[in-house]
Amino acid sequence: MAELTSEQREVEESLVYRVVASFGETPDPRLRQLMQTLVRHLHGFIRDVRLTEQEWDAAIKFLTDCGDITDERRQEFILLSDVLGASMQTIAVNNEAHANTTEATVFGPFFVDDAPHIPIGGDIAAGAAGEPCWVEGTVTDISGNPVAGARIDVWEADADGYYDVQYPDGRVAGRGYLFSDEHGAYRFWCLTPVPYPVPHDGPVGALLAAVQRSPMRAAHLHVMVTAEGLRTLVTHIFVAGDEYIDRDAVFGVKDSLIKEFDRRPPGVPTPDGRDLGDLPWSSVRLGIVLAPAPPHEDR
Ligand code: BEZ
Ligand code: FE
């Protein structure tokens, strides 16, 4: 790349200066900072790569396509943020490691508010296909005190790699919530997680294909834990040994979240005496440690 002439550099830098200055009177100081820094980085990117007009048009078409495919069941912009690692970077910035707390990871697009309440020991699978899996553990604070009454939301894909909301028949399966007991303990049945692709039939999928990246997510169970006075935790349990553990499409894997799932052949008695007939099953333990709520978190 040829060196820029001083006249050309002057043209480009003066534009950055004027655009940054145009946000200088923004009354909200945070909005001012966000917009001015965004402009500096965006112009820096355009100038660094010497962006062509065709490339800028293609970028605008790409974003337009993301908008066109987005509806109340499909959120292509969240997916874009996820595959760019922007979701995980925002989580990293906002969930600084705090003592021994359970680490957070990406929320994903498949949580829904109206999941069923299940009793302790209940089954969130609700008929979804897959291998039964027993999950148990306790919820504590950073001092090891049990957290009673913590709400534990759980959701996952079935053995075919689909969440219930991806089926057109309105089924509710593979999701639910329960509360920890007076000792902070919880236990429930779900399905042994399997790897599955993020939705890749839209513009983000085309981008992944163009850069030869896989759309596969490492096998995981989504868990969200909320409790009075404590920081809400959004996380996953990942399956040790899963083939995608080192190349999760959305960069969600953290070592501390990878757990051994003990595999049992058919006929091995289950922890609660449930008769699974000729099905194999698995079990995993997840101790959940919640951080104190930051002062701004409304509870
Ligand atoms: C998921 O966990 O289901 C997911 C997360 C990010 C993007 C797409 C799917
Ligand atoms: Fe998921």
Side-chain angles (χ1 to χ4, degrees):
M1 173 80 52
E3 271 288 295
L4 295 183
T5 62
S6 59
E7 289 83 358
Q8 178 65 20
R9 189 173 316 106
E10 168 66 30
V11 167
E12 294 175 12
E13 283 172 2
S14 123
L15 179 60
V16 179
Y17 179 85
R18 284 182 290 125
V19 181
V20 168
S22 77
F23 290 99
E25 301 305 314
T26 306
D28 177 341
R30 177 63 173 166
L31 181 60
R32 188 186 330 130
Q33 180 195 21
L34 293 175
M35 293 314 300
Q36 291 186 324
T37 309
L38 174 66
V39 167
R40 283 193 198 97
H41 283 271
L42 179 61
H43 284 244
F45 167 76
I46 294 168
R47 297 177 69 210
D48 272 1
V49 301
R50 309 308 298 168
L51 194 72
T52 68
E53 284 162 292
Q54 289 82 356
E55 286 163 344
W56 185 238
D57 287 346
I60 287 178
K61 176 167 181 342
F62 174 80
L63 292 175
T64 306
D65 291 346
C66 288
D68 286 345
I69 202 172
T70 294
D71 60 21
E72 46 316 317
R73 295 172 79 92
R74 173 78 179 252
Q75 231 301 357
E76 199 74 357
F77 291 102
I78 295 182
L79 192 55
L80 178 59
S81 156
D82 293 340
V83 303
L84 291 177
S87 303
M88 282 305 290
Q89 193 65 273
T90 308
I91 289 165
V93 166
N94 287 280
N95 291 268
E96 224 170 297
H98 192 292
N100 49 345
T101 53
T102 305
E103 292 193 278
T105 190
V106 67
F107 192 52
F110 295 121
F111 175 79
V112 293
D113 260 333
D114 55 356
H117 176 222
I118 58 159
I120 286 201
D123 186 5
I124 66 137
E131 179 188 83
C133 173
W134 175 257
V135 184
E136 64 182 359
T138 50
V139 185
T140 59
D141 65 15
I142 52 173
S143 308
N145 302 308
V147 178
R151 175 174 164 141
I152 304 163
D153 278 273
V154 186
W155 65 107
E156 65 174 335
D158 65 14
D160 295 316
Y162 293 108
Y163 287 79
D164 53 0
V165 290
Q166 292 177 286
Y167 290 97
D169 57 9
R171 73 184 71 178
V172 177
R175 66 179 70 248
Y177 68 94
L178 66 159
F179 293 97
S180 58
D181 69 15
E182 67 273 29
H183 308 294
Y186 71 88
R187 52 203 167 270
F188 60 89
W189 284 101
C190 61
L191 301 172
T192 310
V194 297
Y196 64 86
V198 300
H200 58 113
D201 56 345
V204 172
L207 173 64
L208 291 177
V211 299
Q212 298 196 336
R213 266 180 56 187
S214 159
M216 294 301 289
R217 288 225 59 202
H220 61 275
L221 176 70
H222 292 262
V223 181
M224 176 164 70
V225 188
T226 43
E228 192 70 31
L230 296 167
R231 184 163 82 187
T232 294
L233 172 70
V234 175
T235 195
H236 295 1
I237 314 179
F238 290 98
V239 181
D242 181 75
E243 68 172 298
Y244 295 101
I245 209 82
D246 294 326
R247 48 197 170 108
D248 182 43
V250 302
F251 310 95
V253 179
K254 290 179 170 171
D255 285 350
S256 67
L257 302 176
I258 304 173
K259 303 291 171 192
E260 286 298 332
F261 282 62
D262 291 325
R263 303 301 173 109
R264 325 282 176 154
V268 172
T270 57
D272 62 347
R274 180 181 178 191
D275 181 2
L276 292 170
D278 57 3
L279 288 179
W281 57 281
S282 69
S283 69
V284 65
R285 282 198 64 83
L286 176 69
I288 296 168
V289 183
L290 299 179
H296 63 270
E297 195 166 305
D298 290 331
R299 303 225 57 87

